[in-house]
Amino acid sequence: MSSAEPTEAEPTEAGPTEQTGPVVRESGRGPRPAAPVPPALPGLAESARRLADATTTSTALVADALARIEATQPTLNAFRHLRAASALAEAAEADRRLAAGERLPLLGVPVAVKDDTDVAGLPTHFGCDGDLPPVASDSEAVRRLRAAGAVVVGKTNSCELGQWPFTEGTAFGATRNPWNTAHTPGGSSGGSAAAVAAGLVPAALGSDGAGSVRIPAAWTHLVGIKPQRGRISVHPHSDSFQGLTVNGPLARTVADAALLLDAVAGAHPEDFHRPPAVRAADAARRDPGRLRIALAWRPPLTLTGAGPDPEVRRAVTALAETLARLGHHVEEARPRYGLIGLAFVPRATAGIAEFAARHPEPALLDPRTRSALRTGTRLGGRAVRAARAREVRQHRRIGALFDASGFDVLLTPTTAAPPPRIGRFDDLSAWRTDVAMAAACPYAWPWNVLGWPGVNVPAGFTRSGLPVGAQLLGPSRSEERLISLAAQLEDDLRWFERRPPV
């Protein structure tokens, strides 16, 4: 992806030969024919409030979510699996509990999860083709969602094994951006981002191993939180993608993202990483104080020579000026990334190899996945151990921006480019795909190596109406500060008032 994305207005219709692929229902039937699109669902906190006040019912919210999903599936293709019958039964039970006076943070609220997340009774395809058996148990994150009362309506599309910043594949077609369906919503949590941006669900879980929550949040005008490693359990995996991947929320507002984070945060007994608890929803209501913010334009070394697209730079500059107007000290700085990519590549490809090796029909995998599998197999073992051993030194070197230089937050573009067109990465070799995505998305992945938190915030739009974002990055366990700062920005910019024309 070059950084010279065209800025003229582009068509919003899908091409006539594009196949979106049917969503799979519990019964095995495809969706009903497209119907008129119901109104967008309210946000997460607002849905919970209306349920507690008895001004709506869980059955009504879940039915509206399912109707909106099916009505938009032919164009957006956000979902891989729907739990229509089970979700409606769970909504009816939530209504009985609400009527009896029970209160939980998300009791009766519909949400979605990404299809790398185990939901009992459904297969976990993780973007892959083939017939996979249903899993027997919920992941820890889904167990916590259910404990908070949420109703999981379905699983959203992901690119194959979460490798790329687009959500397209032979298994399910292309997931499209609600702001302009000729463009990708990003990846790999593109289905979750498209679903939330289009108002199909109030909020959704994604996962982030190299920016896979923050990139689609940037390209769909959402708040996306990549939490500290271990903040949200990845069980049944103990250390997903060699510690790179974490789960995180996508929502239209900071308060909704924080509410979802609080609902799912916490460790499974077998988890390796156990950071102390945070109170994200409280942080979203708290003034961040006056902060020192470093603005960094130079990405880590990717050998592509890519800098930010002029429209991305304009949007992030405007956001930095807003932060200065709000009383923060903002100055340009250069984090000492070093050769952090040498630690990322072995861990990422070894993680892909671990997941790909579990697929019962490897011949169905994308050739680029099979290439990553071979690379990850070669780089496994000693190379991965060496890469992980470097993390302590990387913490010290990059952490000097916060410790020695005294900055509280690092601000960068989330991506170097606006959202690419659907099909931009088709028919590319593994190497050319890696180069193209490194040019488009060079900023997010170092924080996965470090395991530290980051928050994407909407930064505005290109002249042709495509969303772009900025990321607020912090040192270890700094979610509350980042969330408070994001909420202050949201109060000023009120980005949630602008919605896509679905």
Side-chain angles (χ1 to χ4, degrees):
M1 172 69 198
S2 74
S3 60
E5 186 75 17
T7 59
E8 67 270 19
E10 295 171 319
T12 59
E13 294 80 18
T17 60
E18 181 67 33
Q19 298 295 314
T20 60
V23 69
V24 178
R25 300 166 65 85
E26 289 170 306
S27 64
R29 297 189 300 271
R32 293 183 292 271
V37 181
L41 265 67
L44 199 69
E46 177 64 14
S47 295
R49 185 191 66 77
R50 293 184 190 183
L51 288 165
D53 292 346
T55 56
T56 190
T57 65
S58 179
T59 299
L61 289 178
V62 169
D64 282 352
L66 292 168
R68 193 166 172 82
I69 290 165
E70 292 207 14
T72 58
Q73 190 66 14
T75 50
L76 296 184
N77 188 30
F79 279 78
R80 184 73 181 265
H81 297 281
L82 284 185
R83 303 180 65 247
S86 296
L88 287 168
E90 291 166 14
E93 175 62 21
D95 286 331
R96 286 190 287 272
R97 294 165 68 184
L98 286 160
E102 185 175 353
R103 295 294 181 265
L104 292 169
L106 299 178
L107 183 55
V109 181
V111 298
V113 300
K114 182 178 176 180
D115 194 30
D116 62 345
T117 306
D118 285 356
V119 176
L122 295 178
T124 301
H125 281 100
F126 202 175
C128 297
D129 205 350
D131 293 324
L132 300 179
V135 300
S137 303
D138 289 333
S139 67
E140 178 66 13
V142 170
R143 187 195 69 78
R144 288 177 178 271
L145 271 180
R146 293 191 196 274
V151 177
V152 178
V153 297
K155 300 179 71 174
T156 57
N157 276 325
S158 164
C159 63
E160 194 167 283
L161 302 185
Q163 301 168 80
W164 307 304
F166 53 89
T167 302
E168 302 165 43
T170 57
F172 59 87
T175 297
R176 295 176 176 275
N177 196 318
W179 292 94
N180 184 323
T181 55
H183 290 257
T184 181
S188 61
S189 305
S192 288
V196 175
L200 313 187
V201 288
L205 273 185
S207 60
D208 191 315
S212 288
V213 162
R214 289 163 289 157
I215 290 166
W219 284 347
T220 57
H221 197 63
L222 297 177
V223 176
I225 300 177
K226 175 218 172 294
Q228 178 76 22
R229 184 185 298 149
R231 178 75 59 215
I232 302 174
S233 175
V234 294
H235 191 270
H237 311 293
S238 57
D239 198 37
S240 187
F241 282 82
Q242 294 293 327
L244 297 177
T245 296
V246 299
N247 293 321
L250 293 119
R252 292 182 58 244
T253 68
V254 176
D256 282 355
L259 177 58
L260 187 57
L261 176 58
D262 281 341
V264 297
H268 183 275
E270 297 176 7
D271 286 349
F272 290 164
H273 310 288
R274 297 169 172 272
V278 296
R279 298 172 65 93
D282 288 348
R285 296 187 289 266
R286 192 164 58 233
D287 188 288
R290 187 174 185 270
L291 302 176
R292 294 192 73 234
I293 299 172
L295 171 60
W297 296 110
R298 185 175 179 179
L301 179 66
T302 61
L303 303 179
T304 65
D309 177 278
E311 293 208 79
V312 172
R313 189 176 184 108
R314 171 185 56 78
V316 177
T317 297
L319 194 79
E321 291 169 350
T322 298
L323 288 166
R325 176 171 54 77
L326 291 171
H328 303 290
H329 174 81
V330 182
E331 67 176 276
E332 293 192 18
R334 286 189 175 183
R336 294 176 56 219
Y337 291 114
L339 298 178
I340 193 170
L342 296 180
F344 174 78
V345 172
R347 293 169 70 171
T349 55
I352 293 167
E354 290 163 4
F355 274 85
R358 302 184 190 123
H359 196 284
E361 299 179 84
L364 295 177
L365 295 172
D366 189 294
R368 293 170 289 190
T369 301
R370 297 199 298 271
S371 174
L373 190 159
R374 292 189 293 271
T375 301
T377 301
R378 289 196 301 270
L379 295 179
R382 182 179 299 177
V384 168
R385 289 193 295 273
R388 299 203 68 166
R390 293 190 188 100
E391 192 174 300
V392 173
R393 294 193 296 274
Q394 289 158 347
H395 285 165
R396 286 198 298 266
R397 185 179 64 248
I398 299 173
L401 181 80
F402 306 106
D403 299 329
S405 299
F407 288 106
D408 300 299
V409 173
L410 172 63
L411 170 68
T412 80
T414 303
T415 68
R421 292 182 68 90
I422 295 289
R424 164 67 180 85
F425 300 88
D426 285 357
D427 303 320
L428 296 182
S429 67
W431 170 252
R432 290 187 178 276
T433 299
D434 289 345
V435 170
M437 70 181 187
C441 303
Y443 291 103
W445 55 269
W447 248 243
N448 296 88
V449 175
L450 300 171
W452 293 348
V455 178
N456 175 80
V457 294
F461 294 84
T462 67
R463 292 180 182 88
S464 60
L466 296 171
V468 295
Q471 54 178 353
L472 308 172
L473 303 170
S476 180
R477 304 173 183 178
S478 59
E479 287 103 322
E480 290 190 0
R481 176 184 296 160
L482 301 178
I483 289 168
S484 294
L485 181 59
Q488 184 187 51
L489 273 171
E490 180 179 86
D491 285 344
D492 187 84
L493 298 175
R494 301 187 67 80
W495 51 62
F496 54 85
E497 294 179 348
R498 187 166 177 180
R499 305 192 72 144
V502 176

